Amino acid sequence: MTSSDRSQTVDVKGTYEVRTYGCQMNVHDSERLSGLLEDAGYVRAPEGTAEGDADVVVFNTCAVRENADNKLYGNLGRLAPMKTKRPGMRIAVGGCLAQKDRDTIVKRAPWVDVVFGTHNIGKLPVLLERARVQEEAQVEIAESLEAFPSTLPTRRESAYAAWVSISVGCNNTCTFCIVPALRGKEKDRRPGDILAEVEALVAEGVSEITLLGQNVNAYGSDIGDREAFSKLLRACGRIEGLERVRFTSPHPRDFTDDVIAAMAETPNVMHQLHMPLQSGSDTVLKAMRRSYRQERFLGIIEKVRAAMPDAAISTDIIVGFPGETEEDFEQTMHVVREARFAQAFTFQYSKRPGTPAAEMEGQIPKEVVQARYERLVALQEEISWEENKKQVGRTLEVMVAEGEGRKDDATQRLSGRAPDNRLVHFTKPDEPVRPGDMVTVEITYAAPHHLLAEGPAKGVRRTRSGDAWEKRTAAAAEKPKGVMLGIPTIGAPAPTPAPAAAGCGFTG
C-alpha cells in the first residue's frame, strides 16, 4: 500500500519538502523518502509553500555535476537565517554528495540536522527524531546497502507510471564517473520480488513501469544469470493490465541479442531505447574506460533497427573529454549521422572531483569545447527534426500525461507520450480525459522535440490508470484529519507533478 492510500487519521508531525537533484535513481529514492516521512506522520508541504516554511527540508543530492557542492551550500545558506527564526525546523542532506562528503557537510553548514547516504535512506525518520531529542546533528553513512529502495514506503509522483528498481550500484570503472564509488558494486533484486512489486503497482492502477538500474541491462551478473534481464522483460509481458514497459539506462557492453529479441517480441515492451554513446572515438572511449568501440555500438543500433524498424533511440554524449582531438570529435559526429538518434543529451565535459579523468593531461580549453558542443547540438537538432517528420501521418495511441505541456492551457491542448516516448501535443477531445487515459491521434506536424496532432481525436480509451489518478486527486483535495503536532501550517498537501529529471548523463 502506498502512503497516499493510507488513512489520514494519524497525528501530523509537520510538513516536509524533498528537493531532488540528478538522475532517475535519485527521483526514485525521493519518492521513497517522501513515503517514509508520510509513514512517520508528516504531510507534504502544499504547493506554493514559501522557501523555509516547511518543517522538514530534505536535499537529495547529486555528486556528478560540476559545482554540485556549491549549489548545495548555496541553498543551505539561504535556509540558515530561516531556521534561526524557526528553531523547530529541521534540515537533512542525503544522496550521492552526502555519501561523498560525509562530515564535511556539517562542518560547512552546522545548522544541518541530519546527513545520510545512498545506502541507508530508510533511516531518515529515525535520524530526524534522534536529532530532535539529542539536539545535535546526526551523521550516518552506511557503507553497504541496507534495503532496496523499492522495498520502502513510497509516495509516487504519478498515479499511472512508476519506477521499479531492479538493481543498485555499478561494476563499471568509467574514468569520468564517481557513481560506482558512491552507490557501490551492483546488487540485484530477486526476480520474484521485482515482479511482485510490478503486480502490486498494476493493482493500484499503474499502467506504465520503468525498470531502473545504474546499469540496468547488466541485471543478472549478481545472481549468476546472463539472460536474467531479457527473461525479466518477457515476464513483465505476462502481467495483465501492464500496458507499457521501459528501462533505463543500459550499457552497450551488456546489450545482448536476447534483450533485443525480448524487446521485439514482448508486446508491452516499448520500442524505445536509451543507449549512452559518450564518444564516437575509439581512442576517447579507451581513455574513458568504456568497454566497447564505435563498431560495436553501431552494430547494436543496426540490430535494434532490424528487429524494430520503428524504434526511437536516444543517447548521451560528452564533448571535450581530456585529450579529445578534432579528429576524435569528428568520429562522434560520424556516429551521430549514422545512428540517427531521435534525441541526444549532450554535455560539455567538466572535472568531477574524485574521478581519474579530473587528473588527466590534455584538458580541453573551454572555448574549444563550447564550439564543438554547438556543432554537435546543431547536427542533432537537424536529425531529430528529420526523424520526427517521419512521424507525420502516423496514427498513435498517446498516454495522457500530467505536467508535460507547459502551454496546454493557452493552446487548449493536452500532452502525452507516444509508445516510443516521443512527446505529443494534441487537440483536447470533446469528452473528458484524465492523466493515464489513452487518446488515439493522427500526427500532423513535427518539431525537433515534439509532435503535434491538430485534428480531432480518433478515439479515447478511459483506463484504470485514469481512475487511479482521479481517485488520488480527489483524496488529495481533502484536508488531513487529526491534530498537527509540528509547527502549524494551513491546508492539505496539494499534488504536484514530478520535476523533469534528466539522467545524469554519465552513468550509462
Side-chain angles (χ1 to χ4, degrees), residues 133-451:
V133 172
Q134 298 183 6
E135 296 184 342
E136 65 179 11
Q138 302 296 310
V139 179
E140 188 169 307
I141 306 292
E143 296 301 330
S144 59
L145 187 69
E146 294 185 350
F148 271 101
S150 292
T151 65
L152 300 172
T154 178
R155 184 197 192 281
R156 289 186 291 106
E157 293 294 342
S158 170
Y160 52 89
W163 306 101
V164 175
S165 175
I166 70 170
S167 65
V168 295
C170 180
N171 293 338
N172 294 318
T173 56
C174 301
T175 55
F176 53 76
C177 184
I178 199 171
V179 168
L182 303 180
R183 292 276 181 179
K185 292 292 186 180
E186 180 176 324
K187 187 172 179 58
D188 297 335
R189 289 178 74 190
R190 292 174 56 248
D193 292 341
I194 296 168
L195 294 172
E197 181 183 355
V198 174
E199 289 170 348
L201 289 167
V202 172
E204 292 177 7
V206 168
S207 57
E208 176 180 304
I209 61 129
T210 300
L211 302 176
L212 186 63
Q214 226 72 53
N215 183 8
V216 70
N217 62 316
Y219 177 75
S221 62
D222 182 48
I223 56 179
D225 184 353
R226 292 185 61 84
E227 295 190 352
F229 187 61
S230 62
K231 292 174 182 176
L232 183 62
L233 291 177
R234 293 183 187 276
C236 287
R238 295 190 288 271
I239 297 176
E240 186 176 353
L242 179 59
E243 298 203 28
R244 294 183 173 186
V245 178
R246 308 185 191 278
F247 57 88
T248 195
S249 290
H251 192 293
R253 183 195 67 184
D254 303 298
F255 206 79
T256 49
D257 292 350
D258 60 299
V259 173
I260 297 173
M263 291 179 66
E265 296 166 10
T266 310
N268 65 355
V269 176
M270 298 295 96
H271 292 180
Q272 174 222 345
L273 177 63
H274 184 75
M275 181 64 73
L277 169 65
Q278 308 302 10
S279 174
S281 163
D282 288 353
T283 301
V284 173
L285 288 171
K286 183 178 180 180
M288 288 178 168
R289 214 176 287 161
R290 302 285 286 181
S291 50
Y292 58 89
R293 299 297 179 257
Q294 180 188 121
E295 183 178 3
R296 160 74 172 155
F297 187 92
L298 289 174
I300 293 172
I301 302 300
E302 184 178 358
K303 287 181 178 180
V304 170
R305 291 249 161 81
M308 296 167 282
D310 62 337
I313 303 173
S314 57
T315 196
D316 297 327
I317 300 174
I318 300 173
V319 179
F321 189 80
E324 180 188 75
T325 65
E326 181 63 24
E327 182 180 354
D328 292 326
F329 177 69
E330 284 297 336
Q331 288 299 307
T332 297
M333 298 283 275
H334 168 71
V335 175
V336 169
R337 293 187 187 97
E338 291 293 311
R340 300 197 65 80
F341 300 113
Q343 188 176 15
F345 299 94
T346 52
F347 304 90
Q348 297 185 40
Y349 173 79
S350 56
K351 291 183 179 182
R352 270 68 183 170
T355 64
E359 307 302 322
M360 287 181 176
E361 296 181 356
Q363 301 288 329
I364 311 298
K366 172 67 176 176
E367 60 271 18
V368 175
V369 177
Q370 180 69 32
R372 290 176 184 171
Y373 174 81
E374 290 173 1
R375 286 161 58 195
L376 176 61
V377 169
L379 174 61
Q380 182 56 51
E381 287 278 301
E382 179 184 334
I383 292 172
S384 294
W385 200 355
E386 290 172 356
E387 291 301 306
N388 276 359
K389 286 176 182 177
K390 295 177 182 178
Q391 306 298 310
V392 174
R394 291 189 65 193
T395 297
L396 303 174
E397 188 172 54
V398 176
M399 180 182 287
V400 182
E402 183 176 28
E404 291 269 24
R406 290 173 294 176
K407 299 180 181 178
D408 282 353
D409 290 339
T411 59
Q412 290 298 298
R413 293 176 182 143
L414 295 176
S415 299
R417 294 286 172 173
D420 64 10
N421 209 38
R422 283 183 166 95
L423 178 62
V424 181
H425 304 300
F426 57 93
T427 301
K428 189 178 294 185
D430 293 333
E431 59 186 288
V433 293
R434 305 144 314 169
D437 286 340
M438 299 287 195
V439 179
T440 302
V441 300
E442 181 179 336
I443 303 303
T444 57
Y445 176 79
H449 302 292
H450 70 267
L451 304 174

Side-chain angles (χ1 to χ4, degrees), residues 30-69:
S30 287
E31 291 186 336
R32 270 61 198 177
L33 291 170
S34 296
L36 286 160
L37 290 170
E38 293 190 10
D39 239 27
Y42 297 90
V43 295
R44 188 170 186 166
E47 186 175 7
T49 297
E51 183 175 38
D53 281 356
D55 300 324
V56 172
V57 180
V58 182
F59 292 89
N60 190 9
T61 63
C62 173
V64 301
R65 298 293 190 195
E66 184 180 23
N67 297 324
D69 54 346

